Every structure is written in structure tokens, then in C-alpha cells.
Amino acid sequence: MTEKQLYEQLKKIHEPKGYFFNRDLAATMFLISGLITNRKRYGYMCCPCRLAKEDITADRDIICPCVYREPDVREYGSCYCGLYVSSTWNDGHIPHRYVPERRPVERC
């Protein structure tokens, strides 16, 4: 699957839920490329901005979209890696702030 194909597939799934791709297309495509790489490497699309343990059970919380996306977007308008954002974040109506890591240290 190409980056463009995955982009279109995920867009159809997540936009109706209120999660949009970052309007910075270069950053978005870089992260989508990382998802594809991780799927080839591990067999599942773990978050490209986190280190995987190469164990689907241990990594279940960081399979994209990770379990931290919803609280991150609700609080900051963006997920940790910046792939998924709210429409207000994309439109510049809320500040683009650093999103701290929510994943517990013991899971890293």
C-alpha cells in the first residue's frame, strides 16, 4: 500500500469521528510512511513516534491510532506525534502546544 492510499483510507475512517490529519502534508506523509514501515517491520502499524517492543501485546496501546489520541486531541487539539488533530487546531483557532507523552514509563 502506498502512502497516498493509506492516507485516503484512514481519512475516510477518522474524519467522520472528528479526527483530521495535520494540514502540514509533508509531516503527515512522513508519519504515514512510518506507519507503513512499522507494518512491514512488525506486522502492525504502531505509532512511528514511539519505540515498539516488537510484541503486539506490549505495543497494543501504541497501535495507530493509539489509545492516547483521544485524550491528547481533546486536551491539546493534537495527538502526541501530530498526525491526528482537531479541526480547530488545523484552522489555527487553538494554540499549537507541545503534547506531553501520556504513555506510562513502564510501558516504554
Side-chain angles (χ1 to χ4, degrees), residues 67-97:
V67 300
Y68 311 105
R69 177 187 71 172
E70 182 179 341
D72 285 350
V73 173
R74 184 175 49 246
E75 186 172 348
Y76 297 97
S78 169
C79 69
Y80 179 68
C81 66
L83 179 62
Y84 289 105
V85 300
S86 67
S87 60
T88 54
W89 189 96
N90 253 349
D91 294 339
H93 296 298
I94 60 173
H96 296 183
R97 299 182 295 156

Side-chain angles (χ1 to χ4, degrees), residues 13-49:
I13 294 168
H14 297 287
E15 277 193 1
K17 298 175 185 177
Y19 299 101
F20 300 88
F21 284 128
N22 188 323
R23 69 173 178 235
D24 180 341
L25 193 56
T28 295
M29 296 313 278
F30 177 77
L31 291 166
I32 287 178
S33 177
L35 290 174
I36 291 170
T37 297
N38 285 345
R39 182 169 49 199
K40 290 176 186 172
R41 186 179 290 157
Y42 309 124
Y44 51 94
M45 291 192 312
C46 61
C47 185
C49 63

